[in-house]
């Protein structure tokens, strides 16, 4: 034992693991001691593997090895006048183990088609004629999180949020806030069988985020003012199976862009641009709230009706602040009309034609971990023959991977 303790093990200069193909690669220092070096590990199938690495070989590969597996490394010696082969003390390398969380996210502005049961946007159909189809559509998609806007206020089934949440069944819960007056609000619906709600809230998209106001921007002698008080609704959610936490938020930027587009440079749509910056600043701060995750800031999932196209300055500003557009990241994409692939608005006609240059509904990701986006879908405007809204629903299927 004392002699074995003096035997050196060939040093490993680089160790890398590719989880997607279950392969570990090792690089060794140049070596002229002993006979060779022995690697021992267990494949994902349970088969034990022993590999002998010659002194002249500086690299080795371990195939079909899972995360969290150990690779034992010993150098072999045959001392002079000894018939036995001796091995050095074992050095162990462990492949990193990761955990994954798959999430499906939905964005939908349901259109406040009436208030308190009084129709105000008849062309798209009164709420009473659309509500069942909206619920059936959402149930058929079964997202983990839904960002919803223009949830009309009313009593009984005329309250959009209450009706949708009730219709989604016992596996869903929600976070809902109104802008200020009881006309409409935003909400996040989530799978409570998969996620626990840790904290929730809202803030206003104005210079006083803790109190309601219509945001205004003055440029020279001109003042641009939002048409409405706008909010962001947010929640911190913990995945029940892994303990990983996510910051999810949904919003509805103002529709004052008709006046806004008369300005220039980064001030194109100044109200929307500044509302977006207020959203970014508050979201980034709140995503860190009480986080103990070693990987840093929680992942952020942001959905919303931005009333602004993907190629315009308010949206570009999200990307300039580190957010990613899931459309750009998606491995597969689908949309109702290939001639205007990013359109998320449709006409109130029997044809339900997509409106060109109307990509208003977005799903962004940011924060400490950026997911893989497997699929991005802009859904058809109709379901079960019913025009759901003037906005198309948008959904993404994403996968987060964390080091354990």
């Amino acid at each position: 034992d004392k002699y074995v303790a003096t035997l050196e093990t060939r040093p490993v200069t680089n160790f890398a693991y590719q989880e997607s193909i279950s392969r570990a690669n090792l690089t060794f220092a140049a070596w002229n001691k002993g006979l060779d070096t022995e690697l021992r590990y267990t494949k994902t199938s349970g088969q034990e593997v022993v590999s002998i690495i010659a002194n002249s070989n500086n690299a080795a590969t371990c195939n079909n090895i899972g995360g969290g597996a150990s690779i034992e490394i010993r150098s072999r010696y045959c001392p002079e006048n000894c018939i036995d082969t001796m091995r050095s003390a074992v050095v162990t390398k462990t492949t990193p183990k990761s955990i994954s969380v798959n999430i499906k996210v939905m964005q939908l502005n349901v259109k406040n088609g009436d208030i308190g049961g009084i129709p105000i946007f008849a062309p798209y159909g009164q709420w009473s004629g659309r509500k069942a189809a909206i619920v059936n559509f959402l149930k058929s998609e079964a997202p983990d999180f839904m960002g919803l806007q223009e949830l009309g206020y009313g009593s009984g089934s005329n309250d959009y949020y209450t009706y949708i949440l009730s219709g989604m069944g016992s596996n869903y819960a929600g976070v809902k806030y109104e802008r200020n007056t009881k006309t409409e609000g935003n909400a996040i619906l989530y799978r409570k069988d998969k996620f626990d709600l840790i904290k929730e809230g809202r803030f206003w998209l104005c210079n006083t985020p803790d109190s309601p106001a219509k945001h205004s921007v003055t440029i020279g002698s001109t003042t641009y003012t939002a048409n409405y008080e706008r909010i962001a609704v947010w929640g911190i959610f913990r995945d029940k199976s892994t303990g990983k936490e996510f910051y999810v938020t949904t919003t509805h930027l103002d529709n004052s862009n008709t006046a806004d587009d008369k300005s220039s440079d980064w001030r194109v749509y100044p109200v929307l641009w500044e509302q977006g910056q207020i959203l970014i600043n508050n979201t980034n701060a709140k995503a860190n709230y009480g986080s103990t995750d070693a990987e840093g800031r929680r992942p952020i999932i942001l959905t919303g009706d931005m009333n602004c196209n993907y190629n315009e300055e308010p949206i570009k500003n999200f990307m300039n602040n580190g957010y990613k557009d899931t459309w750009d990241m998606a491995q597969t994409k689908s949309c109702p009309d290939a001639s205007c692939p990013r359109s998320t608005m449709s006409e109130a006609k029997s044809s339900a034609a997509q409106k060109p240059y109307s990509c208003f509904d977005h799903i962004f990701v940011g924060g400490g971990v950026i997911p893989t986006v497997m699929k991005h879908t802009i859904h058809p405007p109709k379901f079960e023959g019913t025009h759901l809204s003037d906005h198309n629903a948008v959904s993404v299927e994403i996968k987060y991977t964390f080091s354990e």
Side-chain angles (χ1 to χ4, degrees), residues 4 9 45 145 158 168 170 174 228 232 262 271 273 277 285 299 314 325 347 362 369 387:
V4 168
T9 301
S45 64
F145 292 103
N158 286 323
M168 292 303 297
S170 59
Y228 300 99
K262 295 177 181 178
V271 170
W273 195 97
Q277 190 63 53
D325 189 333
E347 301 285 356
H362 303 269
V369 179
H387 204 140

Side-chain angles (χ1 to χ4, degrees), residues 17-28:
Y17 180 60
Q18 297 170 275
E19 184 180 23
S20 60
I21 56 175
S22 301
R23 177 185 294 168
N25 296 303
L26 299 92
T27 304
F28 294 94

Side-chain angles (χ1 to χ4, degrees), residues 59-75:
T61 298
C62 302
N63 291 310
N64 301 313
I65 183 170
S70 296
I71 302 171
E72 296 183 349
I73 305 167
R74 295 182 176 91
S75 292

Side-chain angles (χ1 to χ4, degrees), residues 72-241:
E72 296 183 349
I73 305 167
R74 295 182 176 91
S75 292
R76 303 197 307 168
Y77 295 81
C78 186
E80 189 176 353
N81 300 321
C82 183
I83 62 172
D84 294 326
T85 299
M86 295 187 177
R87 293 169 173 79
S88 63
V90 66
V91 172
T92 301
K93 295 291 184 181
T94 303
T95 56
K97 187 177 181 180
S98 64
I99 55 176
S100 298
V101 181
N102 291 283
I103 299 176
K104 183 174 183 178
V105 183
M106 178 77 70
Q107 154 62 28
L108 177 61
N109 180 328
V110 300
K111 190 165 187 64
N112 190 354
D114 53 29
I115 298 176
I118 302 172
I120 56 174
F121 291 119
Y124 289 92
Q126 198 172 340
W127 169 247
S128 60
R130 295 183 292 123
K131 61 185 182 182
I134 288 174
V135 168
N136 290 342
F137 165 73
L138 294 175
K139 289 175 70 174
S140 72
E141 292 296 322
D144 297 304
F145 292 103
M146 290 176 263
L148 305 177
Q149 301 84 39
E150 293 198 27
L151 293 164
Y153 173 80
S155 59
S157 65
N158 286 323
D159 187 272
Y160 292 25
Y161 171 73
T162 302
Y163 181 85
I164 293 173
L165 182 57
S166 175
M168 292 303 297
S170 59
N171 284 338
Y172 282 88
V175 177
K176 187 248 185 178
Y177 289 91
E178 291 159 357
R179 291 196 303 231
N180 188 22
T181 57
K182 291 185 175 181
T183 55
E184 65 178 52
N186 302 345
I188 301 167
L189 270 61
Y190 66 96
R191 289 277 301 268
K192 67 179 183 180
D193 58 327
K194 295 178 65 175
F195 296 91
D196 289 321
L197 176 63
I198 306 304
K199 191 173 179 64
E200 65 174 85
R202 72 172 165 183
F203 55 87
W204 280 266
L205 304 182
C206 62
N207 289 326
T208 55
D210 292 330
S211 59
K214 295 179 182 179
H215 188 60
S216 63
V217 181
T218 299
I219 304 174
S221 60
T222 303
T223 297
Y224 301 93
T225 302
N227 291 329
Y228 300 99
E229 299 157 337
R230 299 291 185 173
I231 63 169
V233 174
W234 60 272
I236 296 173
F237 300 88
R238 181 179 295 136
D239 176 51
K240 290 177 182 285
S241 63

